[in-house]
Amino acid sequence: MSKKPEGRIAPYAHPSGGWGALKQVVVNLVHEKVAGGNYKTLLKQNQPDGFDCPGCAWPDREHASTFEFCENGVKAVAAEATSKRVRPAFFAAHTVTSLLTQSDYELEQHGRLTDPMVYDAASDRYQPITWDDAFALIARHLKALPDPDQAAFYTSGRTSNEAAFLFQLFARMVGTNNFPDCSNMCHEPTSRGLPGTVGIGKGTVTLDDFEHTDTLLIFGQNPATNHPRMMNELRDCARRGATIVSINPLRERGLERFTSPAHALEMLTGATTTIGTMFVQPKLAGDFALIKAVAKRLVERDDEALASGQPSVLDREFIARHTSGFEAFEADLRAESWDVLLEESGVPKLQIDQLTGIFIRGQNVISTWGMGLTQHKNALKTIQMLSNLMMMRGQIGRQGAGLCPVRGHSNVQGDRTMGIEEKPTKAFLDRLQRVFDFEPPRAHGLDTVDSIQAMLDGRVKVFFAMGGNFAMATPDTPLTFRALQNCDLTVHVATKLNRSHLIMGKQALILPTLGRTEIDLQNGVPQGVTVEDSMSMVHLSYGINQPASANLLSETMIVARLAHATLGSDKVDWLGLGANYAEIRELIEKVFDDFHDFNARVARPGGFHLRVAAREREWRTPSGRAQFVPHVVDRDTPIHRARARHGERLMVLMTARSHDQYNTTIYGLDDRYRGVFGLRRVVFINQDDLALLGLKDGEYVDLISVWEDDVTRRADRFRLVQYDIPRGCLGAYFPETNGLVPLHSTADGAGTPTSKSIPVLLERSAEE
C-alpha cells in the first residue's frame, strides 16, 4: 500500500508580497513566541539608529522610511527574538543520538542557546562549561598542534567586520591562512572572475543607479525569496517603464507580479505591479552559452548596422579608450558555432535575438546575478563573459549601469574585505606585518572544499566555525560528516542549535553568542558593529533587544578572549579590543586605506561607500584597462560525459531555497510562491520528462548522483512536482540534496560546489 502523500501542492495565484507576506510576518512572530515589546524591533530594522538585518545583504536607502523590513527579514529577526530557549537542562534531557533523529526544522525550533556547552562522550550529552574553561580547552588544542595549518577557521557571512578582522588577525598570528568561508560556497566565481576583467571582485553599482537604469537583466536570481527588499526597487523601476528581463531556469513568481507591503494604497486596492517583461529559461549550466550567444549576435547586429549606414551598436569609443583584448574576443565570437550555442544554452535563436535587441535598446543597463550563475563548473568564465558583454556597449562605470552581484548573507562581502581570505595578497600581509609587528603566514591556505578533504586526510585537526551550519551547508554531506568527526576538536559559535553541533570531533564545544538584534554592552557601554552590503556601503548596527541569556558573549569578545587565552596580549591588547569596538575600527583603518576616518564616517546616518575603482573607470588590471577575455564552450564536462553514458534519461539537478528558509536555516515547511505546502522533499520536473521517464506527477522517486568515482550518492523519497522548468532539468531544495554534490565537483578557478548543475538519475521509490 502506498504511503499517503505528505503536505500538499496547490498553485499560488497571488502576486509576491501583498497580504500573504504580511500574514507570514504575524505568523512568524507568534510562532517564535516573540514578546510583544520586541515587536518594536522591526521599526529599527535597517534604520540608521538601529540594526542591520541579519538576513540578506541588500543595501539600505539613504533616507529610510519606517518600513524597511521584509517577510524573510522578519523571520530572521523573529528567530533571534524568540522567547524559546535551549538551556543546559535541555541537553541533560536529550542525548546527541536522539537529537540527530530530529529534522533541521525541528532543531531550529528549540530556540536560543544560553550557555557554553562541551560534549561528554560517556553520556552522549552536552554539559555546561565555563567560558574560561572553554577558551582554555581550545587554546590547549591549538598550542599542541605541530603545524598551525592543522587548524581551519570558518566564517559565516553574518559575522561583523569587527569580529572578522580580529578573527583573521588571531588565526594569522596562530600561523595559518586556512579560512574556509561561505564565500567559497556561493559568490567565489564573482570574487575570482571580475578582477580578471574589471580589476576588482565587487559590483560596480550603488542603489542610486537603480533610479537611473532603463534595463535590468536579472540572472539566476529569485529576489522575492532571497532578497525581498530588492522587490521594491524592481517595482519602482518597472513603474518608471524600465525593461526587466528574468533569465532563470525557473519562472519565479516574484519576477512576474508584486504587491508592495510598504505601500498602503497598493495593499488596500489590491494593485499589483508587473515586474518582468521577458522571461528567458536557459537549461542548467546553459548561461555561459546564452551570454556568449547574445555577444555573438551583438557583433552580427553591428555588422548589419554598419552595412546599412547606421551607427555602430557597439560602444567603440569605450572599447578603444578603456579596454584591451577586444580583437581576439571578437574573433572568437565570430568563430563560434550557432549550433553549439543553441544546443548548450537551450534557448531558441529567436529569443536570443529578442534579448539582444533589448540589450541594444538599453541606454543604461544593470546586470544582476545570484548563485544561479556561480554554482556551476563554468561559473567563473560565465561571470567574465557577462563582463565582456557589458563592456561591448560601455555599460560599466557610468550612472544607471553596471555589474551587480547580489550577495547572500548580510556581511559576506565585508568579511572578505576584512581579510577572511585563504589567498591573501602580499600587500595585505605586508600591511598586517607593519601594523602588528609579526610575520604573517605567506602560503595560501585552504578553502571550504580543501578543508573538508584535509579533515578527511587528518591534515586538519581543529575546526573552529564562527557561525553557520557547516555540516549542512557544504557538499557531499556524508563525506563532510566524516571529515568533522575525524577532527580532534570542533567548535561552533552559534545563536541556535543546528546539525553541525551534533556532528562532532573527538571533543566538541558550542559557544552561544549575541544576535545582531541584541544589545551588546561592554563595560556598560553599548557597542555597535559594522557590515558591508552588496553595493559596498558600510553601515553601523546597534542591537536594541535584551540578550537571550546573561551568559552570552558577542562574537567579537569570543575571538578576543580566545586570542588572549592562546597568544597572550604582549603584541595585541585583545581584551581591550573586545571591550571597545571603536579601537578595532582604528586598527582596521591602519590596515586598509579605504577605511580612513572609519569611526567618524560610519557614525553618519547611512554610513559610507567604499570606493570601487571600476565604477570610476579605473581598471586595476595588469594592462590598466578593462580586459576582454575570450572563452570556449566546454563540450566535455561531467554532464556531457554522464549524458553520453545514460542518454536522455540523465537529468541535471539544481538546488534552491524554499521561501521558508534562509541558507540552511529552515523557518517553516512552505514554499508559497512555488505552491508547495507542508513538505520539502520535492523535485520540480518538466511534464515531458515525466512522460519520457514513465513517471507521474505526485509519485515518489530516489535521486542518484552520477559522478566519475565509485561513490554512491543518493537522496531518497522525493515527491515529483510537475513544473515550468526546461526539459532535462530538475529543481530541489538544499540542504536535503547537498549530499548529491560530489566534494570535488567545483567551479574551475573558484572552488565553488556545482550545486546548480548536478547530473542525476531518477528511480521510482520502493512503496512502503
Side-chain angles (χ1 to χ4, degrees), residues 465-537:
M466 184 62 72
N469 185 357
F470 188 85
M472 298 309 294
T474 46
D476 228 336
T477 310
L479 206 62
T480 297
F481 282 15
R482 293 205 299 272
L484 289 167
Q485 291 164 338
N486 203 34
C487 291
D488 290 337
L489 174 68
T490 51
V491 184
H492 294 276
V493 177
T495 57
K496 301 183 84 173
L497 187 66
N498 66 49
R499 195 164 304 280
S500 291
H501 309 151
L502 313 177
I503 310 296
M504 302 92 51
K506 297 175 182 65
Q507 289 188 285
L509 289 164
I510 303 174
L511 305 182
T513 188
L514 291 172
R516 184 82 58 78
T517 63
E518 292 173 313
I519 299 170
D520 181 358
L521 282 180
Q522 303 295 340
N523 295 330
V525 179
Q527 302 294 315
V529 297
T530 60
V531 298
E532 179 188 348
D533 63 34
S534 278
M535 297 180 194
S536 302
M537 288 294 299

Side-chain angles (χ1 to χ4, degrees), residues 284-333:
L284 289 168
D287 297 278
F288 171 78
L290 171 63
I291 296 167
K292 188 170 186 180
V294 174
K296 179 178 176 67
R297 188 69 189 107
L298 195 60
V299 168
E300 293 176 348
R301 293 281 293 269
D302 188 62
D303 290 342
E304 294 164 7
L306 295 176
S308 62
Q310 299 297 314
S312 173
V313 300
L314 304 181
D315 190 336
R316 294 190 177 275
E317 180 183 357
F318 175 86
I319 292 170
R321 183 177 178 184
H322 290 285
T323 75
S324 63
F326 180 70
E327 293 78 9
F329 173 68
E330 182 182 26
D332 177 72
L333 291 179

Side-chain angles (χ1 to χ4, degrees), residues 440-731:
R442 299 285 172 165
H444 284 174
L446 304 175
D447 66 8
T448 295
V449 167
D450 290 337
S451 293
I452 295 170
Q453 187 62 58
M455 286 187 273
L456 283 167
D457 297 341
R459 291 181 286 116
V460 164
K461 293 294 188 182
V462 175
F463 178 79
F464 189 107
M466 184 62 72
N469 185 357
F470 188 85
M472 298 309 294
T474 46
D476 228 336
T477 310
L479 206 62
T480 297
F481 282 15
R482 293 205 299 272
L484 289 167
Q485 291 164 338
N486 203 34
C487 291
D488 290 337
L489 174 68
T490 51
V491 184
H492 294 276
V493 177
T495 57
K496 301 183 84 173
L497 187 66
N498 66 49
R499 195 164 304 280
S500 291
H501 309 151
L502 313 177
I503 310 296
M504 302 92 51
K506 297 175 182 65
Q507 289 188 285
L509 289 164
I510 303 174
L511 305 182
T513 188
L514 291 172
R516 184 82 58 78
T517 63
E518 292 173 313
I519 299 170
D520 181 358
L521 282 180
Q522 303 295 340
N523 295 330
V525 179
Q527 302 294 315
V529 297
T530 60
V531 298
E532 179 188 348
D533 63 34
S534 278
M535 297 180 194
S536 302
M537 288 294 299
V538 179
H539 311 268
L540 190 60
S541 175
Y542 283 92
I544 65 170
N545 290 340
Q546 291 299 316
S549 164
N551 206 17
L552 301 182
L553 293 180
S554 70
E555 288 183 327
T556 308
M557 183 55 86
I558 287 172
V559 178
R561 288 183 62 176
L562 173 58
H564 177 76
T566 307
L567 302 173
S569 293
D570 292 340
K571 284 188 176 294
V572 177
D573 181 10
W574 299 104
L575 298 182
L577 294 174
N580 187 347
Y581 302 172
E583 292 185 7
I584 302 174
R585 292 190 282 274
E586 290 174 359
L587 291 175
I588 290 172
E589 72 176 61
K590 291 181 180 180
V591 175
F592 302 105
D593 292 337
D594 288 345
F595 283 84
H596 62 87
D597 302 320
F598 193 176
N599 280 306
R601 288 196 294 158
V602 82
R604 299 168 190 157
F608 64 93
H609 183 258
L610 287 174
R611 181 174 180 266
V612 176
R615 176 175 174 78
E616 300 172 21
R617 294 190 170 177
E618 177 187 324
W619 317 105
R620 295 180 178 176
T621 62
S623 67
R625 290 168 168 257
Q627 183 68 46
F628 281 96
V629 182
H631 289 292
V632 300
V633 178
D634 189 352
R635 303 269 285 169
D636 185 24
T637 68
I639 293 174
H640 289 91
R641 294 191 290 272
R643 183 158 286 125
R645 295 197 306 274
H646 298 283
E648 58 185 357
R649 299 182 69 83
L650 191 283
M651 301 284 130
V652 181
L653 172 72
M654 63 175 282
T655 69
R657 297 173 181 165
S658 78
H659 192 65
D660 269 355
Q661 77 177 94
Y662 194 79
N663 291 346
T664 56
T665 302
I666 312 299
Y667 298 123
L669 301 179
D670 294 347
D671 191 1
R672 187 167 79 249
Y673 298 147
R674 297 188 183 117
V676 178
F677 300 90
L679 71 164
R680 290 184 53 82
R681 298 182 77 84
V682 298
V683 175
F684 301 109
I685 185 170
N686 183 287
Q687 62 178 350
D688 292 336
D689 288 327
L690 285 172
L692 168 72
L693 299 173
L695 299 168
K696 296 180 180 179
D697 183 35
E699 280 193 272
Y700 283 80
V701 295
D702 304 334
L703 292 83
I704 300 92
S705 178
V706 178
W707 192 244
E708 296 159 330
D709 58 17
D710 296 325
V711 178
T712 299
R713 299 174 177 87
R714 300 179 63 93
D716 292 339
R717 196 162 178 80
F718 282 70
R719 181 174 172 177
L720 291 169
V721 176
Q722 183 178 310
Y723 207 78
D724 183 5
I725 188 171
R727 286 209 60 184
C729 300
L730 306 172

Side-chain angles (χ1 to χ4, degrees), residues 732-750:
Y733 304 132
F734 70 83
E736 289 85 350
T737 50
N738 281 0
L740 297 171
V741 186
L743 181 63
H744 295 290
S745 178
T746 58
D748 296 338

